Amino acid sequence: MKKKILITFKALVTFILLALLFNNIDFNETIKHFRSFNLLFLVFALCALILQAITITMRWKKIILHLDIHYPFVTLLRYFWIGSFFNQALPSSVGGDALRGYCLYRDGQSIKNSTLSVLIDRIFGVIGLVLLAMLAFSLLSSQIDSIDLKIGMLITIFGLVVAILSIFSLDLFIKKTNYKVVRGLLSLSHESRKIALNSFSGVRLTMLSVIVHFLSIVTVVILAEGMNMNIQWIGIFTIIPMVSLLMVVPVSIAGWGVRESGMVIGLGYFGVEPEYALALSILYGATVLIVTLPGLLLWALNKSNYDAQ
């Protein structure tokens, strides 16, 4: 019942946000922008997203090595791709991250390590995103005079920084507990802090995370070029990290609606017409979905292999 309620809530938020956009935007004009898109740029965008998937898998592999779990890179890439498909294609309340951990658990790894590997990977992903968002905010300050937007960005960044620091320090304040969930959080706090404070591992994982989110920016820039959108790259570099921050909280299905609203409002500050911004956002979401489609086939093959055993 809880899963159904959560899925229904996400679907409702997605529908409301998209309905509000379509009600205030000339969708026929948006379709015209789709038709003018050069498909060659779609190939370039897909290549950038494939490189992003490889980079995320590199980060995940380094984390599981810290947990003394050894896997071939190709196997982890397969598991990541499976998880990415479920994240994007299905309105699941479990999500692709949980499925990544499940793949490790089904291979014989402990529930604790399987879960920790995915959660720590997510934490470092958010750290990289916050760093890019800070840089974007410094650029935004000189580009936009909107006080409300700046305050909103500062609150979002500050909230995530507090959340990350809280995770890193939780086990320093709570030593013992009888609750299994809290013990899991304490393990997450301990292990993630150990990695972060290791100057070599922490810096390397953070840099990989920055590269991951920078590739999202590159993908949007490529798609914008394919649409002949008249916008400076600095505008996309400024807005995309902030939109990604909004999508950290999973209130809609695969970020649909949240991403579109954020890009329409954000790019509007740089003079981009709402119809153009909406077309770009939908195109970006569709490109992400396309690049995850092999995950469906990999899941079917992976499931068949385990069923055969």
Side-chain angles (χ1 to χ4, degrees):
M1 179 62 68
K2 291 181 179 179
K3 291 181 180 179
K4 290 181 179 179
I5 292 175
L6 182 57
I7 292 173
T8 302
F9 172 76
K10 288 184 176 183
L12 184 61
V13 170
T14 302
F15 174 79
I16 291 175
L17 290 175
L18 290 177
L20 288 173
L21 282 174
F22 293 156
N23 187 53
N24 292 280
I25 290 177
D26 185 354
F27 195 62
N28 290 327
E29 191 67 25
T30 299
I31 293 176
K32 289 181 181 179
H33 295 316
F34 281 132
R35 291 174 177 171
S36 65
F37 179 69
N38 187 336
L39 289 178
L40 178 61
F41 286 86
L42 176 62
V43 176
F44 297 147
L46 290 172
C47 290
L49 290 178
I50 290 172
L51 180 58
Q52 183 184 63
I54 293 172
T55 306
I56 294 174
T57 306
M58 290 172 60
R59 184 181 67 198
W60 189 27
K61 182 173 176 61
K62 294 181 185 304
I63 291 170
I64 69 168
L65 284 175
H66 170 81
L67 299 172
D68 199 27
I69 303 175
H70 301 272
Y71 268 86
F73 179 83
V74 174
T75 300
L76 291 178
L77 182 60
R78 185 169 73 248
Y79 290 167
F80 170 76
W81 228 304
I82 291 171
S84 295
F85 170 76
F86 279 84
N87 263 339
Q88 294 295 324
L90 299 178
S92 170
S93 61
V94 177
D97 288 331
L99 188 55
R100 273 201 284 163
Y102 175 69
C103 287
L104 295 182
Y105 170 70
R106 199 170 55 173
D107 281 343
Q109 304 300 326
S110 68
I111 295 179
K112 176 183 175 181
N113 283 343
S114 300
T115 304
L116 282 177
S117 72
V118 176
L119 291 179
I120 294 174
D121 181 60
R122 270 296 186 176
I123 289 171
F124 275 95
V126 174
I127 291 173
L129 180 56
V130 168
L131 290 176
L132 266 183
M134 289 178 176
L135 178 58
F137 178 79
S138 66
L139 295 172
L140 184 66
S141 298
S142 61
Q143 297 283 328
I144 295 176
D145 296 327
S146 174
I147 300 299
D148 292 338
L149 179 61
K150 292 178 182 178
I151 291 176
M153 291 175 65
L154 278 177
I155 292 175
T156 303
I157 293 172
F158 178 76
L160 285 174
V161 169
V162 170
I164 293 169
L165 293 178
S166 298
I167 292 174
F168 283 164
S169 60
L170 184 63
D171 67 312
L172 299 176
F173 299 97
I174 302 176
K175 299 299 181 181
K176 294 182 180 180
T177 179
N178 294 324
Y179 296 98
K180 189 174 181 180
V181 173
V182 178
R183 288 200 300 268
L185 291 174
L186 295 181
S187 295
L188 174 63
S189 176
H190 177 72
E191 295 296 339
S192 59
R193 188 178 68 253
K194 278 177 60 178
I195 298 176
L197 293 180
N198 183 315
S199 59
F200 183 69
S201 297
V203 171
R204 185 166 54 177
L205 289 173
T206 301
M207 289 305 300
L208 285 173
S209 298
V210 170
I211 292 171
V212 165
H213 294 295
F214 182 74
L215 285 170
S216 292
I217 297 171
V218 170
T219 302
V220 176
V221 168
I222 292 172
L223 295 174
E225 289 293 316
M227 293 176 61
N228 292 316
M229 182 177 290
N230 185 22
I231 179 175
Q232 295 180 348
W233 290 13
I234 188 65
I236 296 176
F237 183 86
T238 302
I239 296 302
I240 296 305
M242 302 313 304
V243 172
S244 298
L245 281 180
L246 294 176
M247 293 171 62
V248 167
V249 182
V251 296
S252 67
I253 297 175
W256 287 96
V258 174
R259 177 181 54 240
E260 284 65 41
S261 299
M263 289 183 66
V264 167
I265 295 173
L267 292 178
Y269 284 102
F270 291 89
V272 178
E273 297 177 359
E275 292 78 11
Y276 246 131
L278 179 59
L280 179 61
S281 181
I282 294 175
L283 187 59
Y284 174 60
T287 305
V288 173
L289 177 60
I290 291 171
V291 85
T292 66
L293 289 179
L296 176 60
L297 176 60
L298 292 173
W299 166 250
L301 294 175
N302 192 62
K303 187 174 184 298
S304 298
N305 289 337
Y306 280 103
D307 290 344
Q309 295 175 7

